[in-house]
Structure formats: structure tokens, C-alpha cells
């Protein structure tokens, strides 16, 4: 009887953990009317896979609304930008941004993803 109780407690804890982790995925696209979404000039999809991004540089135009999306080709990743108000994007998240200052902004994976994690860096170039 004691063993069955522990198995039940472990199963309930596991299901609770899975539910909590699944609920944390949220879209961070700025809300607005349909007109605002049609004003988005383009979308930049950043694909992360184990220990690298699909490109070393991503280019956008200054003052233009851009939808940034992070996708994971393998593993679980997130990105953090240096010197931008975009603090974080997680796998599957999107955010509409308008950057009004030209420059080069570095970003890196901010979720420990394995031995090559420290090398996961790329640049967002605003022209």
C-alpha cells in the first residue's frame, strides 16, 4: 500500500511539472488591430540548433517594424540581446520590434544547451 501511494505521488508530481513547463510558452507579439500587423514590413526567423544559429548575421532596416521569431531546429534555446530592450526570446516566441538606431547588436543563446553553448552568438545588424 505504501509503495502504491508513492508511485501515485510521483506520477502526480510529474504531470504537474509537465503541465507547468508547457504553460510557459507564450507569444509576445505586440497586440493591436489588423492594420498594425499589416504595417509589419517583414519577419526575421532566427533558427537555433545545437550550438549554432542558422546565420551569423541578420539584417533589418532602422525604423521599420519587424517580427523577430526564434525557432529551434534541435534542442531548447533562448536568445538575449545586448544593448536592446528585447531582453529575451524563447523557442517558439515572437516579438514585433522597431529599432530606430542603426548599429550592430549582438545576441547569444541564454539557455544552457550543452558543450557548445558559449559559442552560440550572432548579430542583428540595423541599417
Amino acid at each position: 500500500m505504501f509503495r502504491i501511494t508513492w508511485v501515485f505521488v510521483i506520477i502526480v508530481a510529474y504531470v504537474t511539472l509537465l503541465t507547468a513547463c508547457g504553460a510557459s510558452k507564450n507569444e509576445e507579439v505586440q497586440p493591436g488591430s489588423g492594420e498594425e500587423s499589416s504595417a509589419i514590413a517583414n519577419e526575421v526567423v532566427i533558427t537555433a540548433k545545437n550550438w549554432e544559429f542558422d546565420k551569423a548575421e541578420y539584417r533589418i532596416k532602422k525604423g521599420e517594424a519587424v517580427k523577430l521569431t526564434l525557432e529551434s531546429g534541435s534542442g531548447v534555446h533562448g536568445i538575449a540581446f545586448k544593448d536592446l530592450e528585447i531582453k529575451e526570446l524563447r523557442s517558439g516566441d515572437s516579438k514585433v520590434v522597431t529599432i530606430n538606431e542603426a548599429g550592430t547588436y549582438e545576441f547569444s543563446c541564454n539557455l544552457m544547451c550543452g558543450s557548445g553553448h558559449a559559442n552560440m552568438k550572432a548579430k542583428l545588424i540595423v541599417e
Side-chain angles (χ1 to χ4, degrees), residues 5-23:
T5 303
W6 273 107
V7 169
F8 180 73
V9 168
I10 291 171
I11 290 172
V12 169
Y14 183 71
V15 169
T16 303
L17 179 65
L18 287 177
T19 304
C21 290

Side-chain angles (χ1 to χ4, degrees), residues 19 24 35 45-46 49 55 57 66-67 85-86 90 103 111 124:
T19 304
S24 69
E35 290 178 24
V45 178
I46 301 167
K49 55 184 178 179
K55 297 179 185 176
E57 298 177 346
V66 176
K67 180 179 178 184
E85 290 185 23
I86 311 164
R90 300 253 179 175
L111 293 175
L124 179 65

